[in-house]
Amino acid sequence: MSDVQVTVTELTYAEFRKEVLEDYRIANLSRQCSIIGRKEVLTGKAKFGIFGDGKEIAQIAMAKQFMNGDWRSGYYRDQTFMFASGLSGPEELFAQLYGDTDITANPSNAGRLMSCHFSTSNRDAGGSPVNLMKRKNSAADLSPTAAQMPRLVGLGYASKLFRNIKELSGYKNFSENGNEVAFGMIGDASTSEGHFFEALNAAGVLQIPVAIAVWDDGYGISVTSDYQTIKSSISEALQGFRQDETGSGILIYRGKGWDYEGLCRIFEEGIRICREKHVPVLFHIEEMNQPLGHSTSGSHERYKSDERLEWEKKFDPIVKMKEWILSSGLAAEDELEKIEKLAENQARKARERAWNNYIEPVRRDKDELLRILENKSCLCRNDKFDKISALTYNLKRITDPVRKDNFITARKLLRYICIDCPNREDVKSSINDWLSKSWDLAHDRYNSCLYNESPSSVLNIKEVKPVYGETPKMISGREVLRDNFDFLFDKYPLLLTFGEDTGKLGDVNQGLEGLQKKYGELRITDTGIREATIIGQGIGLALRGLRPIAEIQYFDYLLYGLQTLSDDLATLHYRTKGAQSAPLIIRTRGHRLEGMWHSGSPLSMVINSIRGIYVCVPRDLTRAAGFYNILLEADDPALVIEPLNAYRLKEPVPENLGEFKVPLGVPEILIEGNDITIVTYGSCVRIALESAAQLKEFGINAEIIDVQTLLPFDLQGVIVGSLRKTGRIIFFDEDVPGGATAYMMQKVLEEQGGFEYLDSEPRTVTKKEHRPAYGTDGDYFSNPGVEDVFEMAYSIMNESDPKKFHTF
Ligand SMILES: Cc1ncc(C[n+]2csc(CCOP(=O)(O)OP(=O)(O)O)c2C)c(N)n1
Ligand SMILES: [Mg+2]
């Protein structure tokens, strides 16, 4: 326990009693939702259930300290916290359980996530930012354990920036002097994850207002804490993190999950200090339980001993709260029973309303389809007709259909309408009309909002070309970037960047040289070596309205942050159906330089795991600057991979630094040619250009295309246009065979329909399967070079006209 003096808010006895009884009602309501919810799964109405039973009292106590402007970054046990803070209620919980896609019934995830995955919006329906200070906020929940921890760092760090950067004091929709606390919740077993320790260390180093509760029920599914945590206790394990006389460190409290009074006291004290002094605080809440077991996928009787199960009954927090109320004389048994009944009724009614809201539209769709079939069906009496009537009959019999039932029936029916049936065209068009309308709705329900679809999308922003004087000055690429950043930091007060060596050094390649001095240590900042929480720091800051550029020193090290990028940032807009946006820019540098971990181009690994984030692969630093310029005018997350070996090469300086913009999804044709199209990006562009020069010597005119962005990819069909002209194509990069070249090939040949224009076999040029070896020769024999591209292009030309292009 901390030695700071406790001040409990003064209430009259009547107010206090009322508050306690209301807390008792919320606890019971939440428990009843868990009990009824579990039954809904076991009886087949819902698919999967995970609930917050056993954690009710501590969450109510913590929620008392949750204020407007604060943020929660929790996990799937937090339903009671959400109820108690007024951010959710039983009806929404059931809507989540059924997977209701109606955003008004299920605002947290619109049916895209399972139960107990909450969020609040930071964008309105039109995609504009909302006032975050007029509401309590919750970052969108995730299922991977501890995945909520990296962004917690950013959610807390934002308060520090708002408190300490005076230019930010006017942003009243985002902060009031940085008084907002970021609440983090995590299960005991999940603290075994590296993300937990990394986030805690970062919070301690940064001294930011995060309040973390560890809900300790002694189990991670069936695995007990002796397998999870050193000394079987996270607060013991963290003794070295504890605040000491120097003032740095973390405040650590311990509480018991069933001790209502004690919990109210420690949360009040700890979070007050956290808010006022920006000291991180951790609450280790022990002796919690899970009366209904981990989830609906199994029963805990399989792995808990009889004694443990007995103990769980006795130390059920609601039972204990009741005992405390009775013993303190705040209410009598019958009054509490009335509250219990009321809570049960409220839960039942909420379930019923949520079920009807969910099922009625699906039934209506089914009925509409059946009406079509009853009025217009195949008239032919043959085996096909039997199939049609069987399909119709089977659909009719389903009382609680899912949309899939309707679709399967409609799609299969089309197969069985007789070819010579007089009704054929009529029936077909009616079913197709139903399907087409239903597909559009299904798309909106299940497939929309992977990217920003609102007016603030970067795809709506027009290109502004770099403008050059007659004899532009030639400076190194990193200077172009630095001078461009100078404009950006001047223009956007909310812009800040952080990463390893980003601050004092101005990044390892000096793209920010001198800018920390000019814009201050908080806007251009060094961090520890902790890629996952660098990404998380960016996500949290972006959620809170800032415009962060998180720097990952080398593309190869993005892997440490990839889980956070993939599971959190990439899915964020989709999993909230556009209600939450985090326009984080991740800046890194990659492609060939030196050796295994400084030559990374694992583009397929990245683009295939972060759909939802745009990926820009500029060939030089002017293009990179153009991407930053356009991204900062929009509201989308993006990864920009700067070409490592271009920082020292000379580039002409545009006159409109900070203004020119490179559009996303628009490839650039760098050399026009009629014989063969070579498609590439990033550092490979220079190699392709050199190959084109060598091919020209042999009478081959290659068309060189820089795709510029892999996500999105060639939105206007520039590449297929080139292929139509040349009939031959090579996809070239430094990824593994079958990597991003295969991705580009699929886009051009399948999606853009390029297959029909092929006169020769489409080919790829890539690096070897293994990572690049060290040194010039290691690079030469691992990565593709000018000769490889030349020879591939030449061999294709030789095959098509062996007389003109003889074999070497
Ligand atoms: C990264 C990851 N690994 C495994 C799982 C499967 N899983 C879901 S919950 C859970 C146990 C978590 O236990 P704890 O953190 O103590 O939380 P509790 O459920 O006990 O509240 C596991 C292993 C997961 N969701 N994510
Ligand atoms: Mg646990």
Side-chain angles (χ1 to χ4, degrees):
M1 193 64 103
S2 149
D3 48 10
V4 186
Q5 203 55 43
V6 182
T7 39
V8 181
T9 321
E10 292 298 331
L11 292 176
T12 65
Y13 177 78
E15 284 167 342
F16 173 64
R17 192 182 105 87
K18 195 167 156 219
E19 188 171 320
V20 171
L21 295 186
E22 174 59 5
D23 289 348
Y24 188 67
R25 183 191 67 83
I26 294 171
N28 276 279
L29 175 64
S30 180
R31 176 65 61 85
Q32 286 302 324
C33 288
S34 306
I35 294 169
I36 297 169
R38 185 175 167 82
K39 278 192 200 133
E40 291 298 275
V41 177
L42 300 183
T43 56
K45 276 208 165 80
K47 198 104 197 251
F48 177 79
I50 189 147
F51 303 101
D53 48 290
K55 317 279 187 292
E56 293 91 350
I57 303 302
Q59 292 186 15
I60 288 170
M62 194 185 198
K64 286 181 193 299
Q65 309 307 323
F66 195 47
M67 305 294 161
N68 279 359
D70 285 350
W71 279 79
R72 162 186 170 273
S73 184
Y75 79 116
Y76 53 80
R77 296 278 180 228
D78 294 339
Q79 73 196 49
T80 320
F81 184 94
M82 295 302 285
F83 288 10
S85 55
L87 290 185
S88 186
E91 209 166 309
E92 189 195 352
L93 184 71
F94 286 114
Q96 291 186 5
L97 194 66
Y98 301 131
D100 195 339
T101 53
D102 178 357
I103 192 102
T104 50
N106 186 359
S108 283
N109 66 52
R112 293 172 180 201
L113 306 174
M114 55 176 60
S115 68
C116 277
H117 283 59
F118 297 99
S119 76
T120 56
S121 59
N122 70 353
R123 296 289 180 270
D124 65 18
S128 300
V130 301
N131 185 337
L132 302 172
M133 295 305 293
K134 289 217 162 113
R135 54 176 80 189
K136 299 168 181 172
N137 304 284
S138 173
D141 286 344
L142 311 131
S143 300
T145 51
Q148 71 276 29
M149 297 309 289
R151 69 178 177 213
L152 181 68
V153 175
L155 291 171
Y157 185 57
S159 291
K160 177 168 174 167
L161 297 178
F162 281 115
R163 188 172 284 184
N164 293 295
I165 300 178
K166 69 173 185 321
E167 290 77 14
L168 296 182
S169 60
Y171 291 91
K172 297 285 181 211
N173 285 357
F174 299 148
S175 176
E176 185 57 57
N177 191 35
N179 291 338
E180 305 77 29
V181 171
F183 286 56
M185 296 81 162
I186 186 166
D188 55 308
S190 302
T191 65
S192 312
E193 294 279 11
H195 280 2
F196 172 79
F197 287 96
E198 189 178 313
L200 214 65
N201 180 57
V205 167
L206 295 169
Q207 289 291 292
I208 51 177
V210 295
I212 301 168
V214 179
W215 306 138
D216 187 352
D217 54 20
Y219 287 83
I221 310 185
S222 66
V223 182
T224 44
S225 43
D226 49 329
Y227 278 89
Q228 303 282 4
T229 309
I230 185 166
K231 301 181 182 181
S232 298
S233 161
I234 195 65
S235 48
E236 284 299 315
L238 291 174
Q239 282 308 311
F241 283 61
R242 206 181 177 116
Q243 194 183 52
D244 58 21
E245 52 291 342
T246 67
S248 72
I250 289 175
L251 282 179
I252 297 177
Y253 290 84
R254 288 168 90 153
K256 304 219 182 292
W258 45 264
D259 175 15
Y260 173 78
E261 197 189 10
L263 289 166
C264 289
R265 205 189 306 276
I266 59 169
F267 282 123
E268 201 274 341
E269 176 186 304
I271 293 172
R272 182 172 42 76
I273 299 167
C274 177
R275 194 181 299 282
E276 285 170 10
K277 307 232 162 71
H278 279 191
V279 181
V281 49
L282 180 125
F283 302 93
H284 180 198
I285 310 303
E286 300 168 277
E287 298 190 20
M288 292 194 128
N289 58 40
Q290 280 174 9
L292 301 173
H294 174 78
S295 70
T296 51
S297 57
S299 79
H300 58 159
E301 284 83 6
R302 287 176 301 164
Y303 50 79
K304 285 182 184 161
S305 66
D306 290 345
E307 297 80 63
R308 170 76 196 186
L309 290 167
E310 236 356 88
W311 178 87
E312 290 204 0
K313 276 197 194 115
K314 207 162 141 206
F315 282 82
D316 183 317
I318 299 184
V319 171
K320 285 298 223 189
M321 183 177 182
K322 187 171 182 176
E323 285 170 15
W324 175 78
I325 295 174
L326 291 172
S327 69
S328 58
L330 280 168
E333 180 104 38
D334 57 342
E335 191 175 2
L336 295 183
E337 274 166 15
K338 259 194 220 140
I339 293 172
E340 289 159 21
K341 270 267 155 298
L342 172 72
E344 194 184 330
N345 262 334
Q346 288 173 329
R348 276 187 202 295
K349 290 214 172 99
R351 186 215 69 80
E352 209 175 297
R353 282 195 301 272
W355 172 251
N356 288 335
N357 284 343
Y358 159 73
I359 198 69
E360 283 310 325
V362 191
R363 285 196 186 131
R364 276 201 296 277
D365 283 357
K366 177 186 120 174
D367 292 343
E368 193 187 325
L369 181 62
L370 285 172
R371 262 199 308 282
I372 294 171
L373 302 175
E374 271 155 19
N375 296 334
K376 299 173 182 178
S377 188
C378 182
L379 299 173
C380 314
R381 300 270 145 196
N382 55 28
D383 64 327
K384 285 190 178 162
F385 177 80
D386 283 340
K387 281 190 178 127
I388 290 177
S389 30
L391 282 165
T392 313
Y393 175 75
N394 285 341
L395 181 63
K396 214 181 250 176
R397 274 187 19 199
I398 305 173
T399 46
D400 295 336
V402 289
R403 292 202 162 90
K404 184 179 169 187
D405 297 319
N406 300 340
F407 272 80
I408 290 175
T409 308
R411 295 170 83 180
K412 276 189 156 173
L413 274 164
L414 285 173
R415 300 177 194 169
Y416 296 119
I417 308 166
C418 297
I419 201 83
D420 43 8
C421 173
N423 260 1
R424 180 177 164 82
E425 289 313 311
D426 194 17
V427 181
K428 241 177 80 176
S429 79
S430 301
I431 296 176
N432 274 328
D433 285 351
W434 182 91
L435 268 172
S436 146
K437 184 184 73 179
S438 305
W439 276 125
D440 285 349
L441 291 168
H443 174 87
D444 174 63
R445 287 185 184 113
Y446 297 105
N447 312 115
S448 62
C449 294
L450 176 58
Y451 297 94
N452 180 5
E453 295 169 5
S454 81
S456 61
S457 160
V458 70
L459 302 184
N460 295 326
I461 298 179
K462 296 260 171 314
E463 174 177 15
V464 177
K465 289 201 189 304
V467 176
Y468 296 104
E470 253 172 46
T471 45
K473 210 167 116 196
M474 298 295 287
I475 58 174
S476 62
R478 66 109 191 156
E479 289 170 310
V480 174
L481 199 59
R482 178 200 61 195
D483 295 350
N484 191 76
F485 274 133
D486 194 0
F487 273 86
L488 294 178
F489 278 94
D490 189 50
K491 183 171 174 186
Y492 297 108
L494 292 168
L495 177 62
L496 52 122
T497 185
F498 48 87
E500 298 150 21
D501 302 290
T502 301
K504 206 182 290 171
L505 192 60
D507 89 43
V508 281
N509 292 89
Q510 302 269 276
L512 294 160
E513 184 195 13
L515 299 186
Q516 186 185 63
K517 258 211 174 86
K518 186 163 175 189
Y519 295 101
E521 206 178 322
L522 286 171
R523 290 189 68 198
I524 294 157
T525 315
D526 287 321
T527 66
I529 306 174
R530 47 175 181 81
E531 286 76 9
T533 52
I534 289 174
I535 301 289
Q537 194 164 328
I539 297 172
L541 293 176
L543 282 171
R544 289 196 59 184
L546 290 147
R547 290 307 309 253
I549 298 180
E551 189 188 325
I552 298 295
Q553 198 158 75
Y554 294 99
F555 188 28
D556 310 69
Y557 307 130
L558 192 73
L559 260 76
Y560 280 80
L562 196 58
Q563 186 276 329
T564 303
L565 276 182
S566 177
D567 286 331
D568 197 354
L569 186 62
T571 66
L572 185 77
H573 197 261
Y574 173 79
R575 73 183 197 268
T576 59
K577 206 182 178 195
Q580 250 178 42
S581 255
L584 165 65
I585 298 171
I586 302 105
R587 176 181 176 224
T588 190
R589 50 190 73 83
H591 313 307
R592 69 212 308 165
L593 182 75
E594 200 52 82
M596 197 171 281
W597 288 287
H598 298 84
S599 296
S601 284
L603 263 309
S604 53
M605 176 179 71
V606 170
I607 59 175
N608 290 327
S609 57
I610 64 168
R611 302 288 165 103
I613 300 173
Y614 291 133
V615 177
C616 307
V617 278
R619 65 179 179 274
D620 58 26
L621 281 316
T622 303
R623 255 33 61 180
F627 285 132
Y628 295 123
N629 295 345
I630 200 165
L631 287 165
L632 283 167
E633 286 204 2
D635 194 27
D636 311 74
L639 168 67
V640 181
I641 305 163
E642 296 169 9
L644 242 175
N645 50 13
Y647 291 111
R648 283 170 213 285
L649 301 178
K650 299 284 186 215
E651 296 181 23
V653 195
E655 287 177 349
N656 52 346
L657 281 174
E659 303 292 337
F660 65 91
K661 298 180 189 86
V662 179
L664 273 65
V666 185
E668 192 176 342
I669 299 177
L670 298 177
I671 297 182
E672 290 192 20
N674 291 320
D675 293 326
I676 187 163
T677 302
I678 300 176
V679 181
T680 191
Y681 57 88
S683 293
C684 288
V685 170
R686 265 199 316 284
I687 297 171
L689 291 173
E690 175 57 31
S691 311
Q694 295 186 7
L695 285 163
K696 195 143 182 101
E697 241 184 85
F698 290 82
I700 297 168
N701 290 314
E703 181 142 305
I704 304 297
I705 302 184
D706 174 6
V707 304
Q708 309 229 61
T709 60
L710 285 165
L711 295 175
F713 187 84
D714 187 10
L715 297 171
Q716 293 150 17
V718 171
I719 302 171
V720 79
S722 170
L723 178 58
R724 196 180 295 143
K725 181 172 67 173
T726 63
R728 302 179 190 90
I729 195 160
I730 293 173
F731 298 94
F732 158 48
D733 74 2
E734 301 169 323
D735 195 2
V736 290
T741 48
Y743 161 81
M744 296 194 285
M745 193 187 261
Q746 183 269 338
K747 287 276 180 196
V748 176
L749 299 190
E750 189 179 81
E751 273 186 43
Q752 300 186 350
F755 183 75
E756 60 175 307
Y757 306 115
L758 286 173
D759 294 328
S760 299
E761 189 187 352
R763 299 301 300 267
T764 63
V765 177
T766 67
K767 78 168 179 65
K768 298 281 193 290
E769 296 267 1
H770 57 78
R771 305 249 187 134
Y774 172 68
T776 304
D777 282 347
D779 172 70
Y780 190 78
F781 294 104
S782 305
N783 277 319
V786 177
E787 292 74 31
D788 301 300
V789 180
F790 173 92
E791 285 164 15
M792 178 62 81
Y794 193 88
S795 74
I796 293 171
M797 297 311 293
N798 162 267
E799 194 191 62
S800 67
D801 190 348
K803 281 211 185 99
K804 191 167 172 198
F805 304 107
H806 63 84
T807 315
F808 292 126

